[in-house]
Amino acid sequence: MKTANIQSISNEVHKTKKIRERDNRHFLHPWEDMGYHGHNERTAAISCEGIYLYDSDGKKLIDGPGGMWCTQIGYGRKEMVEAIAEQAAKLPYFSPFNLTCDVSAQLAEKVASLTPGDLNTVFLTTGGSTAVDTALRLMMFYNNFRGRPEKKITISREDAYHGSTYLSATVSGKFRDKNYQDAADDLVKFISSPNPYRRSKEMTEQEFRDAKVQELEDTILELGPDKVGAFIAEPILASGGVVVPVPGYHRMCLDVCRKYDVLYISDEVVTGFGRLGYWFASEPVFDIQPDIITSAKGLTSGYLPLGACIVSDRLMKEMGGEKAEGAVFSNGYTYSGHPVSCAAALKNIEIMENEKILEHVREVSPHFLNRLQELRDIPIVGDVRGQGLMACVECELKKDEESPLELDYKMGLRIDNHCQKLGLMVRPVVNMNVMSPPLIITKTQIDEMVDILREGIIRAMKDLEQEGLWKPAQC
Ligand SMILES: Cc1ncc(COP(=O)(O)O)c(C=O)c1O
């Protein structure tokens, strides 16, 4: 018996070693630090169930980040697998440039029924970046069509992440990501992040919010309203550190956009499909009816790639009719409206409806947020913020003072390593531990997740103390 165990352990190690060898030799990952390319020791995900992933050593891990904010209905759903297989057998592909297909049309209709106001036209894409790219290209088409070729600049925000195509990366405001990349800088203007945690101590939250909205208006006026085509905003800045704006911020920004005929693009790639307890957060949570919503991720719960750019009837009307003959919106993909992805999305929505997953998120999220707030008693925890089932536990080694980036990276890595050993995947964005578990997570599982995170942070803090990189504040 003992021998068999040793044998199986050595097989597992061998498997992990083999996967890593292949990975390091041939797989260039997103956001690869080229200095480490070929020498990474990535965890290899092998199988899954519910909120858990199993790695190549057989270790069971809670998926804290929910893949990348996308595994809403959880892993290993048999009915989803069957729906995908059935569609793949029936019709795995059609050319969306000249044909249509029942599941894709059905999905467009279904998505339109879930969006706020008059957002009823759905352009299906391959993911979030291409949904954002489509939204921006549509804004450009719209203004060209209306005889306003100068009205093309997009206003975006620092800390924003909108994707990885040239245009969506252009409007992303995480400047560290731009170090070695080019962007169409003349097509974008950044305003500051609405992160109330970073406001000066003299300002109330309302004053901070009003100043951010004023900055938007001032920027439009400075550039000239005839030059500004769109304002793009995530309802909650996700990868930027789960930045929840002060209530009223989005509504006031929308009013400014309306005043200057600037399109409002609400990037709901993360917040859509239940993360905040609603299909889309724009209207029920933030009281806005944008002109365009972009979505992806939770649309299929990550089972297959798919994105959507959803456009208002107002815009479609202004770009349509007899005068539009010959005005081709030349944008789209081989896989726009891919039938197998659309079948997965329809099944995903059906599961979310049948299992009342939106209601479940609204019920468990106060527990999730309260439990995370308890981590504030750990000396290196600086801020805990979030809404729905998305949150960020921001750690800082020096209170009231920015610590060097390198140190923050070290801390993030330590937390990640300890948590993984304890059975939890976290996704530190430098010093920020982002939590966005599958939406089916129960209160007991939330407790398990937060307990591990607490222990992981404390162990990392002790490591840093032993290495002389951190010391407790004197009482
Ligand atoms: C708000 C937001 N928009 C767009 C994207 C890009 O989506 P994708 O990676 O599917 O292209 C992301 C990805 O994380 C995102 O968080």
Side-chain angles (χ1 to χ4, degrees), residues 68-69 127-130 132 161-163 234 238-239 267 269-270 296-297:
M68 282 184 75
W69 331 83
S129 305
T130 45
V132 169
Y161 181 69
H162 295 295
E234 297 157 79
S239 329
D267 184 354
V269 166
V270 168
K297 296 191 189 271

Side-chain angles (χ1 to χ4, degrees), residues 166-193:
Y166 195 60
L167 256 188
S168 58
T170 287
V171 301
S172 292
K174 291 166 75 186
F175 294 113
R176 248 190 9 257
D177 295 345
K178 300 197 180 216
N179 284 351
Y180 293 88
Q181 286 282 13
D182 297 318
D185 294 329
D186 52 336
L187 290 177
V188 66
K189 181 82 185 170
F190 291 100
I191 56 175
S192 56
S193 167

Side-chain angles (χ1 to χ4, degrees), residues 1 4 10 18 38 52 54 63 80 92 122 143 162 169 179 182 189 198 224 226 240 302-303 318 346 368 399 459 469:
M1 192 66 193
S10 92
K18 193 74 211 156
Y52 298 100
Y54 294 85
D63 187 0
M80 186 60 138
V122 183
N143 282 320
H162 295 295
N179 284 351
D182 297 318
K189 181 82 185 170
R198 300 254 169 262
D226 56 334
Y303 277 79
E318 286 180 62
L346 281 168
F368 168 73
K399 296 263 169 193
R459 286 188 189 183
L469 296 171

Side-chain angles (χ1 to χ4, degrees), residues 226-297:
D226 56 334
K227 301 270 191 319
V228 182
F231 173 59
I232 185 164
E234 297 157 79
I236 291 180
L237 289 141
S239 329
V242 189
V243 174
V244 185
V246 178
Y249 167 82
H250 285 297
R251 174 76 235 173
M252 291 162 81
C253 286
L254 180 72
D255 291 344
V256 170
C257 289
R258 292 275 174 266
K259 189 167 161 192
Y260 298 104
D261 197 9
V262 167
L263 298 186
Y264 192 110
I265 303 170
S266 184
D267 184 354
E268 293 228 36
V269 166
V270 168
T271 54
F273 289 90
R275 183 89 4 231
L276 301 189
Y278 298 91
W279 293 112
F280 293 98
S282 291
E283 192 175 45
V285 184
F286 297 101
D287 189 28
I288 56 166
Q289 276 187 25
D291 298 294
I292 298 176
I293 288 181
T294 50
S295 174
K297 296 191 189 271

Side-chain angles (χ1 to χ4, degrees), residues 348-366:
N348 180 51
I349 295 169
E350 186 189 308
I351 291 172
M352 289 181 74
E353 282 174 341
N354 289 347
E355 298 181 8
K356 300 196 180 328
I357 288 182
L358 302 182
E359 291 84 339
H360 173 75
V361 172
R362 297 203 290 269
E363 198 215 316
V364 300
S365 51

Side-chain angles (χ1 to χ4, degrees), residues 323-343:
K323 58 187 185 310
E325 239 169 71
V328 177
F329 178 49
S330 42
N331 178 79
Y333 315 99
T334 301
Y335 299 128
S336 289
H338 192 281
V340 186
S341 297
C342 289

